[in-house]
Amino acid sequence: MKLSLDWMNDFAPLKEVGLDAILKKIAISVCEIDGADPFRPELDFVKIVKIESLEKHPSADKLQIAQVTNGSAKSQIVTGATNVKVGDLVPLAIPGAKLGDKEILESELRGVKSSGMLCSEKELSLAEESSGVWILNDVEGAEIGKSIRALLHYDDIIFDVDNKSITHRPDLWNHFGFARELASQLKLPVQFNPFESLWNFDLNIPLPKVLENQNAHSYYASSIQGVSILPSKRKFRARLQKCGIRVINNVVDISNYVMLEMGQPTHFFDKKFLETQGGISLEVSFAKKGESFALLDESSPALEEEILLIRNQGKPVAIAGVMGGKESAVQNGSTEIVMESAVFARERVRKSIRLTGIRSDSSVRYEKGLEATTTLPVIRRALNLLKENGCTELKASEPVGFLHTPHKEVHIHTDIHFINTKLGVELSKGDVTDILERLHFGVSWKGEHLEVLVPKFRHNYDVTIPEDLVEEIGRTRGYDTIQVAPVLAEVKTPIRNLGRELERKLKTFFSGSLSFHEVYNYSFQSLKENTVDGDPKLSVKIKNEMPEEQAVLRNSLLPSLLKNVRTNQDRFSEIKLFEFGRTYFNLPEPNNEKKFLAYAVAFERKNSESDLKLLEEDFLNVRKQIESLLESIRLFDYSWEIKQESFYHPAASLSLVVDSRQVGVLGYVHPAVLDSFELKKRVIYGSFDFSAIVEIWNANRKISRFVPPSQFPEAEIDLSILIGEKENTNRFTELVKEEKIPELKDGWVYSQFSGGNVPEGKRSVSYRFKLVNYEKTFTQERIKEISDQLVTLAGKNGFALR
């Protein structure tokens, strides 16, 4: 947001303080400033001069030699302009001036000295096009020797305020509000308050009709006669231009001017157009789905039912707080208008902004939450400004409308001890009173107890609790005045948080040992995504209206991880992601929230990949990594069991079971789910119920399973058998474990094969068994004995050897 120091000086004598003091106080006590720069300083080097004589250039037919004066000195200028004559007042860029990329220098043109350049409006960046040198003879305020910057009222400092730092302060989104704040902080008087403007309304002018309802906090309209559509006067044009607002005409410009001055948007309707609709009967109501009308920006968006409109005789003429309609706008021939001054609920305006995609200067202010009692004072101020800006015969009817909360007051109760404890200082009651009264708060003491009446321009959302008063006192006094002191606190041993401890361990193992990348996702997702892994009827809908794709709290981490894979599938050949996150359910506590550790892996395997060997190898590789993770947290006694899940491929999903309790899942995501997320690769997804894992880890961590390494060489036995195509490879390893072979340390699948000479419906699975002896070196006889035992076990259970 841009603010003019010259404009703010109308309300408080800020220029008496000095720019450095103002900027320092703003930075310490008010908000962040991105810049404070002179406006168009290059125009100081463009002076108004009078042409005293003109003669042809001796060596160029299209050039003239002009003798000009600025009142104190004369200059000779060579110009190619054909629209100048003796006696004209024109702008002269003197040597040293910089106009855009061009620097004006003393020069010679065809042997004749030229000390500057006569300028057009285009060359001064004041117009898109111009037909010659700017003739200033009839321009108000044009005087010989005056700079163009002074003529245009551009002699000013423009503050560029960081909008993010004042989102909670709608009272600062205007020149008067900001000047009032600075006056309070710098102990200056407020010398003019536009909200106290007076106007004599004409009781003979017919009143517009306004239908009262609860769709606006306040809404007033006034019929205005005697309007003349003209260019705005120089002061108004300059102030709007300095704030980046496009100049249109003297009526529309005043609407923008009042908004920048007082922070309250207004709107003018063409009265004759409203009358052609059957009379003037204004109402704030909601749009009908698909309804559309032309707006000022030439767009005609299809409207949703939650968008708030202004209607006349039931027909839409504006989107409330956002933008007016094109047909009902003030025209060049308008002589009668209707002025609207209203305050709408900020939530309604925010919805309109989101649903239409339109962010106007008005809506930016409305969405912060404005004070409803400003609507009538704004009308009076606007009428005074319209009269000053060319509508000298202006007459206006008594405003008609409603205000729902005219007597709203916010009182805050606290005490001096609370304030001093929060700030860490010792302030007296007099210190507190001085600061709060400067900030326009009403102060009442009863002993140590303090009662504060919040000013209306701060009481809606900004200052509502005692802590807000502490902030007001602290920032005004200056946080830099608070002495730094060591914190005195009892040092206690922190309570051990097992969940956080295990979370760190798992994150470290996933990222460090397994080379996974951690991701963070929002807890919001669409209702459709909540059907992927869970019951959508248990979805928790977000009360604050959100886009459809973020309408509910997620009940699974699967959709989020699939979207992460989709984002990266064209960038990396191998994707390994994990996330710690919560899921939410519309159930009584404690079942309404669960925490999961989920992970997703995608190799260079397309959805159409039909090589089962490759897919099985990928799956076994991931499973082995997860098993190493379980081993790292001392979880040894578990089993993988086949279990169908709707989001998994029917032939590729496992359940991780500990003590007959499911604590995790692992499998290939169902192709239909992959298609719905536009995924091109096969994805392996798994998750752990974190609370169950914490419980098991807590029980196991106290049990020592340490076994010193054997000093004798290890041995391995490989065994290949035929099993069914859909049979679980774990079955044979579980049978081997049940044999309780003393030297058996571990066993796993290291290779699978189907096709070739392997019978149809079968696959060849190769197992590797690791043997460790802690007492002596293995002999060939003992290895053969164990190998024979494994072969016998396989045959006894119907497995054929390969």
Side-chain angles (χ1 to χ4, degrees), residues 40 42-43 46 78-81 83 91-93 97-102 104 116-134 148:
R40 298 295 305 272
E42 72 275 12
L43 296 182
V46 183
V78 177
T79 179
N83 67 321
L92 171 67
K98 290 184 178 180
L99 302 177
D101 297 331
K102 182 190 294 185
I104 307 303
M117 181 180 78
L118 302 184
C119 301
S120 67
E121 289 181 272
K122 181 179 179 181
E123 288 165 329
L124 296 175
S125 299
L126 299 174
E128 293 291 330
E129 297 294 336
S130 54
S131 57
V133 168
W134 188 14
I148 293 297

Side-chain angles (χ1 to χ4, degrees), residues 1-16:
M1 180 180 66
K2 297 186 183 300
L3 294 172
S4 158
L5 179 59
D6 178 65
W7 196 344
M8 289 191 290
N9 203 62
D10 286 356
F11 312 116
L14 298 175
K15 291 184 178 178
E16 296 177 5

Side-chain angles (χ1 to χ4, degrees), residues 250-262:
N250 62 330
V251 174
V252 177
D253 290 348
I254 289 303
S255 180
N256 288 325
Y257 189 95
V258 169
M259 178 184 67
L260 296 182
E261 182 176 84
M262 304 170 75

Side-chain angles (χ1 to χ4, degrees), residues 192-241:
F192 170 61
N193 186 344
F195 287 97
E196 297 174 354
S197 300
L198 302 176
W199 182 265
N200 291 321
F201 294 100
D202 193 323
L203 301 180
N204 296 318
I205 297 177
L207 300 175
K209 185 178 179 182
V210 173
L211 302 179
E212 182 174 351
N213 56 39
Q214 296 298 317
N215 295 331
H217 294 320
S218 175
Y219 191 97
Y220 284 94
S222 174
S223 290
I224 303 172
Q225 298 178 355
V227 173
S228 303
I229 305 299
L230 304 165
S232 287
K233 292 190 176 181
R234 182 67 64 187
K235 180 186 84 170
F236 296 102
R237 293 168 61 190
R239 287 186 169 179
L240 293 176
Q241 289 167 344

Side-chain angles (χ1 to χ4, degrees), residues 527-596:
L527 185 60
K528 182 181 177 182
E529 288 169 342
N530 264 15
T531 64
V532 175
D533 174 17
D535 184 355
K537 294 178 182 178
L538 297 179
S539 298
V540 179
K541 194 173 188 306
I542 297 170
K543 286 185 178 180
N544 250 6
E545 191 64 30
M546 298 289 283
E548 185 181 342
E549 60 270 17
Q550 295 179 325
V552 296
L553 293 176
R554 63 182 177 180
N555 61 4
S556 169
L557 274 59
L558 174 59
S560 302
L561 284 169
L562 291 181
K563 286 187 282 188
N564 295 141
V565 174
R566 180 181 64 198
T567 301
N568 292 280
Q569 63 184 349
D570 294 327
R571 297 182 174 93
F572 304 99
S573 58
E574 180 179 288
I575 301 168
K576 300 171 74 175
L577 307 173
F578 76 95
E579 179 183 10
F580 266 95
R582 298 183 185 278
T583 57
Y584 306 88
F585 308 90
N586 190 13
L587 294 169
E589 292 186 5
N591 298 319
N592 61 334
E593 187 176 317
K594 288 185 179 181
K595 190 171 185 179
F596 285 90

